[in-house]
Amino acid sequence: MTTTVKTKKLSLVQAVTDGLRTMLAEHEDVVLLGQDIGKNGGVFRATEGLFEQFGEDRVIDTPLAESGMIGTSIGLAMNGFRPVVEMQFFGFIYPGFNQLVTHATRIRARTLGRYHVPMVIRAPYGAGVRAPEIHSDSMEALFTHVPGLKVVVPSNPYDAKGLLIAAIEDPDPVLFLEPMKVYRAGRAEVPETKYTVEIGKAEKLSEGEDVTVLAWGAMVPTMKKAAKNAEKALGISCDVIDVRTLYPLDKETISESVQKTGRVVIVHEAHETGGVSGEIASLINDTSFLYLRSPIARVTGFDTPVPVFSLENDYLPNEQKIERAIEKVVRF
């Protein structure tokens, strides 16, 4: 017997909206908080229509005060709600960092499991949209270093809805990063009904034998194009992996791939020093060192603030940089 799942074509940001609508309809304890997310629908319209559908008690406009938004959400979460709080941009989260790191991520341990904080912080992030300073930051590594906090990054509409629902159902805090560059880059079939994508599970996008290439968020489409170019121009086949969850990392999928190919290229738009690529390299060292046939290569942003928009294309990893790294590790 086969079952047909109804789908609709959505962009990534529309899939976020669909995930929020699904959970608001199913669970009365889900509430949304953020600046201008009500009648205005949010700066990227991720909550468009939800205020009218669910009302001002479920879709709540807040003052411009990220610390207050996160602090209020912690209180709501400890008292039976499942708040989803929106940062207008990831770079605006810094005033709320104290609430997140000092309280939200410690409540379970602090109360010996009596209380927990089932809250989601959504944050549009990344460069490539010609935004001004602080609107394009990729500081995900700061948060993967915080015990008690999961960090997820979808790269496509299907994963966006499934991961968001999984995040809202998670009993502990989840940072949900939404890559702005691919918010409306294309549409894909997304189930109309509820489903989840497992947090902590990477996805292998294509099979190869020569090198493992890993990325997340807006770098995934760029990585896929570079891998195809490498195969076509150089005859190099790539295991292409969308990491999807930055904490906890999917050790099994990453190590299995590396132990097959023996070569690795890690791509992220965040700064190189202290980036998540360093943690992945450490994971590979722990699990697969003796399988390596060449040094691990990283293709990243530079160790500078994200530059003004006229220099963004030079700052970000591109297909050519990734392809050169793929060739370098294979020809080593």
Side-chain angles (χ1 to χ4, degrees), residues 45-82:
R45 303 296 181 262
T47 55
E48 191 167 43
L50 301 181
F51 179 87
E52 291 77 8
Q53 185 173 352
F54 296 99
E56 61 183 0
D57 292 334
R58 306 282 307 282
V59 183
I60 304 166
D61 273 321
T62 68
L64 177 56
E66 287 78 9
S67 180
M69 290 152 61
I70 295 176
T72 301
S73 297
I74 293 170
L76 287 167
M78 292 179 65
N79 285 278
F81 290 91
R82 285 186 252 193

Side-chain angles (χ1 to χ4, degrees), residues 217-239:
M219 288 295 100
V220 170
T222 308
M223 166 184 68
K224 289 167 63 177
K225 290 177 184 175
K228 284 186 179 178
N229 292 344
E231 182 163 12
K232 185 176 180 181
L234 305 170
I236 297 171
S237 69
C238 303
D239 248 13

Side-chain angles (χ1 to χ4, degrees), residues 93-323:
I93 200 173
Y94 307 135
F97 190 76
N98 177 53
Q99 288 286 349
L100 185 60
V101 175
T102 306
H103 300 297
T105 57
R106 296 171 186 261
I107 294 296
R108 179 181 286 279
R110 185 179 291 161
T111 64
L112 301 179
R114 182 176 177 84
Y115 294 101
H116 59 108
V117 181
M119 66 180 285
V120 177
I121 301 173
R122 296 180 39 245
Y125 96 109
V129 297
R130 306 297 188 257
E133 186 188 13
I134 306 179
H135 293 64
S136 304
D137 285 7
S138 293
M139 294 293 192
E140 59 267 29
L142 290 177
F143 298 86
T144 59
H145 193 61
V146 180
L149 180 66
K150 300 180 180 73
V151 182
V152 300
V153 189
S155 68
N156 60 75
Y158 181 90
D159 286 354
K161 180 177 177 179
L163 279 171
L164 180 58
I165 291 174
I168 295 173
E169 291 188 332
D170 197 280
D172 294 302
V174 178
L175 179 61
F176 188 85
L177 299 177
E178 301 168 6
M180 291 186 292
K181 189 178 179 182
V182 294
Y183 251 163
R184 294 179 172 85
R187 295 172 185 264
E189 295 292 343
V190 176
E192 294 182 3
T193 54
K194 179 184 175 184
Y195 65 95
T196 59
V197 172
E198 183 180 352
I199 293 175
K201 191 67 179 174
E203 181 182 21
K204 186 177 288 187
L205 303 176
S206 64
E207 290 278 352
E209 300 297 327
D210 300 317
V211 56
T212 298
V213 190
L214 306 107
W216 52 90
M219 288 295 100
V220 170
T222 308
M223 166 184 68
K224 289 167 63 177
K225 290 177 184 175
K228 284 186 179 178
N229 292 344
E231 182 163 12
K232 185 176 180 181
L234 305 170
I236 297 171
S237 69
C238 303
D239 248 13
V240 178
I241 296 175
D242 181 352
V243 178
R244 297 201 294 197
T245 299
L246 304 185
Y247 187 87
L249 287 167
D250 183 351
K251 296 181 180 179
E252 183 177 353
T253 297
I254 295 172
S255 61
E256 282 183 358
S257 176
V258 174
Q259 289 172 18
K260 178 181 69 173
T261 66
R263 308 177 183 92
V264 185
V265 174
I266 308 168
V267 183
H268 61 63
E269 64 177 277
H271 320 299
E272 181 180 71
T273 301
V276 175
S277 58
E279 188 60 31
I280 294 175
S282 178
L283 182 161
I284 293 168
N285 182 66
D286 292 344
T287 62
S288 313
F289 177 74
L290 295 178
Y291 294 86
L292 290 176
R293 302 168 68 181
S294 67
I296 297 169
R298 294 190 285 175
V299 184
T300 70
F302 295 96
D303 285 346
T304 69
V306 179
V308 295
F309 58 80
S310 59
L311 299 174
E312 263 189 325
N313 289 345
D314 296 315
Y315 172 85
L316 288 169
N318 57 32
E319 296 167 36
Q320 292 73 33
K321 293 177 184 176
I322 299 170
E323 193 174 337

